[in-house]
C-alpha cells in the first residue's frame, strides 16, 4: 500500500466495496474509493478517487476529483479536477484547477464572490446571478 500524503494520513477511507446512501458529514478528510449517494457536508478535504462514484451534492472546503461526481459542488477554498475526474453539476468555488483530460458538465462560478451566496443550486435550478465564466470549454457541454 502506497504511503498517503502527509496531510491525508488521518483520512477516513470509504473502500471500493462500500456503498453509502444518505448524508455523510466529516471533520477531517475523506477519501472516497467506493460509491456514495445522497449529500456530503465536510469540514476537511473530500477526495473522490479514480473509479469512485459520488452521486451527491457536496459542500466542503476542498474537493479533489479523480473519479466522478454527479451533483452540485460548493468548495469554499478549492476544487481540483484531475485528468480522469468528471463533474456533472454546477460548481461554486473559491479557486478551480482543471487538468487536461478532466470533464465538467455544468455551470461554474469561481472566486471569492461565488462562495458568499451559499451552496450551489440543486440540479435543474438556475445558478444565482447567472454565474457562468463564459470561457471556452468551461461550463459548456451539457449532455
Amino acid at each position: 500500500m502506497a504511503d498517503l500524503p502527509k496531510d491525508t494520513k488521518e483520512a477516513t477511507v470509504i473502500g471500493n466495496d462500500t456503498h453509502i446512501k444518505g448524508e455523510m458529514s466529516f471533520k477531517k478528510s475523506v477519501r472516497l474509493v467506493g460509491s456514495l449517494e445522497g449529500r456530503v457536508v465536510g469540514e476537511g478535504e473530500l477526495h473522490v478517487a479514480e473509479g469512485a462514484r459520488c452521486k451527491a451534492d457536496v459542500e466542503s472546503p476542498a474537493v479533489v476529483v479523480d473519479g466522478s461526481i454527479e451533483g452540485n459542488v460548493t468548495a469554499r477554498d478549492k476544487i481540483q479536477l484531475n485528468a480522469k475526474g468528471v463533474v456533472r453539476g454546477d460548481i461554486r468555488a473559491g479557486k478551480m484547477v482543471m487538468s487536461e483530460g478532466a470533464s465538467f458538465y455544468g455551470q461554474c462560478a469561481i472566486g471569492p464572490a461565488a462562495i458568499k451566496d451559499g451552496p450551489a443550486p440543486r440540479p435543474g435550478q438556475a445558478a444565482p446571478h447567472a454565474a457562468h465564466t463564459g470561457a471556452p470549454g468551461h461550463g459548456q457541454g451539457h449532455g
Side-chain angles (χ1 to χ4, degrees), residues 21-86:
K21 189 170 184 177
E23 183 169 328
M24 179 177 76
S25 62
F26 60 94
K27 291 193 182 273
K28 292 189 179 180
S29 295
V30 168
R31 179 175 165 87
L32 177 64
V33 182
S35 64
L36 186 143
E37 184 177 344
R39 183 166 185 254
V40 178
V41 178
E43 295 178 24
E45 180 181 279
L46 172 66
H47 181 191
V48 180
E50 186 175 339
R53 293 186 48 210
C54 182
K55 189 173 181 179
D57 288 336
V58 174
E59 293 177 48
S60 187
V63 180
V64 177
V65 186
D66 286 300
S68 70
I69 295 179
E70 184 178 332
N72 295 321
V73 179
T74 299
R76 292 180 299 282
D77 182 29
K78 179 173 86 170
I79 183 166
Q80 181 173 327
L81 279 77
N82 292 330
K84 294 184 179 182
V86 178

